[in-house]
Amino acid sequence: MASPPTPPPDLLDLKLLPAWVKEPPQPNAYADFAGEEERPPRRQDRHERRPPRGAKPRRPKDRHERKPPRDQRRGDHRPAPIAPPPPVAVRFLAYPPALENVIAQIKSGAVAYSVFALARLFLEKPERYVVQLTTTDDSVLHQIGETGAVAVDKSILENNAFADAKDDFYKIDITQTEPIKGNFTNVARDRLSGTLLGPTNHHGYQPRLRNLYEQRFSRRMSFPEYQRQIEIVSDSEVVERWKEEARNVTTFTTKNGEPPVSFNNAAEAERHFRQNYLPALLRSGKEFIVGGVLSRRLPDRALRSLIEDAWSRETRSPSQMMQELATNFREASLQVFRHRRGMLFVSPIRARPFKHEQTGVSPSVNSILETLTATPRINRKDLAEKVIADLAGEEAEAKKRSLASDLHWLVSEGYVIEFNDGSLDLPRVKVKPPDAPKVEAEKEVVVSTESGPTEEAELGGS
C-alpha cells in the first residue's frame, strides 16, 4: 500500500522560540467540533410581573415536549455503561527530520535552550511528532500498510481499506451514459453527507444506500439507525441534479496482474480488493508508530480518543517528551544540564564554574563575573551599562570592544551561560556535603558507674 504524499516537514525555527521563562500558548488542536453559540442572558423587563415572594417559579409547558421513556417514568435511571479505554500505552516522539533540524540549529550557535519549551514546541503541531502505540496486555494492534492507520479492532480497518487504497490497485475511469428516462418526482438524500441516493423505487437505490453506509458510517451506527437519517426531497432541481450524477459510470480496472480485470461498480471492485489485496496489507503486532497528523483522524474512535487524552496530559507536563529529547541531545554530543530551579537546558557548550584563583585574568573579565554574580539573568545591553557606567568617550568605546571580546570568550568556554532569550547567568556551583566525622573502628567503650557520662554519649549517642 503506497503511503500518501508526505508534505514537507514542519521544521522548528529556534530563532522564534519564546523566552524559556514564558510558556507557549496551548491551543486545543483536537477541538474541531463547533458547539452551539452561547446566547446572552435575557434581560428582564422592569414592567414584567414578578411572582410573589416565596412562591415557586412556574415553568411554561411545551406542548412539543416529549415524555421521558417508560423505564425512566418507573424510576429506572441507570446510566448507559461506559466502554473502558483500550489497553494501549501512548508515547509521543519527536519527528526525526524536525529533531535533526533542531539539533543542527543548537550546534550552530552558543546559546542554551529550555528542554521544557522545546518539548512543548514539538507537541504544538502534529507535523512535529509521531505517536508510539503499545499494547499493555496480551492483545494486539492492527495496521493497514507500513505507515497506515492503526486500530484495536481489525474490522474497522477492513471496512475503510478499500476507500483509502483503491487508487493504488485500480485505475478509475468515469464515463457518462445516456440520460436517465422516467418521471421521478422525488429522491432520497443522506442528511449526514448530503449524498443523493436516488428515488427509493430505482434499481440503484438499495446498492448505493448499502455501499455508502459500509464505507462511511458502519463504525458509527447500526444500519437501521442510519436509515433514519435518510430524507425524501421533492425539489425538482435536486431531482435533475441526481439524474446528471447518475449518468456517471465508474469503472475500476486492476493495475497489477495480467490480464487486467474491470468492474462496473465500487461494490464489485471492493469485493475483489478484499479477496486479493487486503490480506497482504493488514499487519498485527504489539507496537506500531503512526504519524502525528494521521493519529488525529484514525478510524478507531476509541483509540483516537485515547491519543487525544494522552496528548492533553503530555502538553500540560511534557515529561516523556523531555526525556526523549534529552536522550537524543546527549547522543548528538550536546550538553544537557540543570540550572536555576532545577530546570533542564541543552547547549553545545559544557557549562563550568570559573575559578577565580586562575592567574592572568583581565579586570574586564572580573567585572563581568562580579556583575553577573550581583545581578543574574541580565542581558548584554544591561551588562554593558553597568560595566561602562562611569566611562565616556574613547575610553568607553575601548571598554565596549574589550567587553564584547571577553564575554564571547566566557560564553564559548562555558563560564557564562547565554540563554536563547538573551539573558546571561553563571553556571551553578555544586556544593559538596560536609564530610562525616571519622570514628575509630572497634574502639572499646568503658562504662563507668561512678562518675560522668559514657564516651558514646559524648559522641552524640549514635
Side-chain angles (χ1 to χ4, degrees), residues 6-55:
T6 305
D10 178 65
L11 303 180
L12 283 72
D13 186 359
L14 297 187
K15 295 179 181 179
L16 302 179
L17 186 68
W20 63 268
V21 294
K22 300 178 181 178
E23 296 186 359
Q26 306 177 37
N28 186 2
Y30 286 89
D32 53 357
F33 172 75
E36 295 182 357
E37 296 183 358
E38 184 179 358
R39 296 181 179 180
R42 176 176 173 266
R43 298 180 61 182
Q44 189 177 26
D45 192 347
R46 63 177 181 175
H47 300 293
E48 184 178 351
R49 295 182 58 187
R50 293 183 174 89
R53 182 172 298 179

Side-chain angles (χ1 to χ4, degrees), residues 384-385 387-400:
E385 291 176 354
V387 174
I388 319 176
D390 300 329
L391 302 179
E394 295 182 358
E395 188 178 1
E397 291 298 324
K399 187 66 175 179
K400 286 182 180 180

Side-chain angles (χ1 to χ4, degrees), residues 442-459:
E442 299 180 358
K443 184 175 182 180
E444 183 177 359
V445 178
V446 179
V447 179
S448 173
T449 59
E450 296 181 357
S451 63
T454 65
E455 184 176 355
E456 183 180 2
E458 291 178 354
L459 293 176

Side-chain angles (χ1 to χ4, degrees), residues 173-181 202-203 242-251 264:
D173 298 314
I174 300 177
T175 58
Q176 280 196 334
T177 60
E178 295 293 330
I180 295 179
K181 299 179 181 180
H202 190 265
H203 64 86
W242 166 78
K243 287 183 177 181
E244 190 64 25
E245 293 178 357
R247 295 179 57 189
N248 297 331
V249 177
T250 305
T251 304
N264 294 326

